[in-house]
Amino acid sequence: MAYLTQVAAGKRVLDVGVVGHVVDLQGDDEWMHAAIVRSAASCLGVDILPEAIAELKSRGFNVMLRDITAEPLDQRFEVIICGEVIEHLGSPAGLFKAAAKMLEPGGRLVLTTPNPYSDTNIRHAFHGTFDESVDHVTLLVPAGIAELAEREGLTLDSYRGVSGRRLTKLRNRLRYAWSLRRYGGPATDRFSRRMIYECVKG
């Protein structure tokens, strides 16, 4: 969350999926939208959940009931943040198409989404268990993000793992050390359940 607030600092921001997974966090310091609002020059939040949007409006937040993949806004933004949204979309290409229309030249689309190749997810798959939310219908990798972005005139500028595992247990520290030795570098993506992608409009 700290990185997203840095990206939003002083910018005109659109926050997509503003309600988030835990409605009870609204107004809490851990609620991402509130942190982005405090950092940005201006911030509009959109979501498709009518009751939650009505509640946020009643609390004074600048939010709108809108599916931007079906109906992009006429406004232009310097930053569009989609935290934990794209994995819920049956047609993720619509998100990139909408972002390309709403971003200013040089603007950034910032996505966070589950990492399908984290060591935890691979281990679950190997054992035939399922550790993702049942409403996650699209799991994307860097090559897929890059292709979807390029089709709409955006460029994947960077990506990395975030929210990596805390290496407090000896077993995790040994596994991380083995990874460093085997791969020759800090294989943080392997230990990250989430990825952050940044796409730029040319």
Side-chain angles (χ1 to χ4, degrees):
M1 184 166 68
Y3 180 73
L4 295 180
T5 59
Q6 289 174 20
V7 171
K11 300 289 199 311
R12 293 188 310 280
V13 177
L14 176 65
D15 186 10
V16 180
V18 61
V19 172
H21 292 289
V22 185
V23 176
D24 291 343
L25 286 180
Q26 293 166 14
D28 189 284
D29 287 341
E30 294 299 315
W31 182 42
M32 187 173 70
H33 181 67
I36 291 169
V37 167
R38 288 191 296 269
S39 179
S42 65
C43 183
L44 171 64
V46 295
D47 211 303
I48 60 170
L49 302 173
E51 292 180 3
I53 287 293
E55 171 65 20
L56 289 176
K57 282 184 176 180
S58 75
R59 297 186 192 186
F61 285 99
N62 180 24
V63 294
M64 175 187 297
L65 182 66
R66 188 78 158 238
D67 178 357
I68 61 155
T69 63
E71 192 179 1
L73 298 165
D74 292 330
Q75 297 168 252
R76 296 293 174 264
F77 301 92
E78 294 172 280
V79 175
I80 297 176
I81 295 176
C82 300
E84 309 300 306
V85 170
I86 196 167
E87 63 270 17
H88 298 271
L89 303 178
S91 299
L95 179 61
F96 292 89
K97 183 182 287 290
K101 291 179 181 176
M102 295 184 296
L103 280 172
E104 291 188 347
R108 303 183 83 81
L109 170 64
V110 184
L111 307 165
T112 66
T113 190
N115 177 9
Y117 295 131
S118 71
D119 66 332
T120 301
N121 286 343
I122 290 172
R123 191 167 60 252
H124 279 289
F126 181 76
H127 292 293
T129 58
F130 184 72
D131 192 45
E132 279 296 332
S133 172
V134 294
D135 60 347
H136 289 181
V137 296
T138 305
L139 295 177
L140 292 165
V141 296
I145 294 282
E147 178 63 24
L148 288 167
E150 286 179 17
R151 290 179 185 184
E152 302 302 334
L154 305 174
T155 302
L156 177 60
D157 183 56
S158 66
Y159 65 91
R160 63 184 173 84
V162 293
S163 300
R165 171 184 299 145
R166 291 180 182 172
L167 303 177
T168 53
K169 294 183 179 178
L170 177 60
R171 177 184 63 188
N172 292 339
R173 282 189 293 225
L174 290 173
R175 190 179 288 155
Y176 186 66
W178 172 83
S179 175
L180 289 175
R181 185 171 184 166
R182 179 169 182 178
Y183 297 108
T188 55
D189 292 354
R190 281 194 67 230
F191 291 88
S192 299
R193 296 295 303 272
R194 299 282 177 268
M195 297 289 288
I196 184 166
Y197 297 90
E198 294 187 56
C199 302
V200 179
K201 181 175 179 178

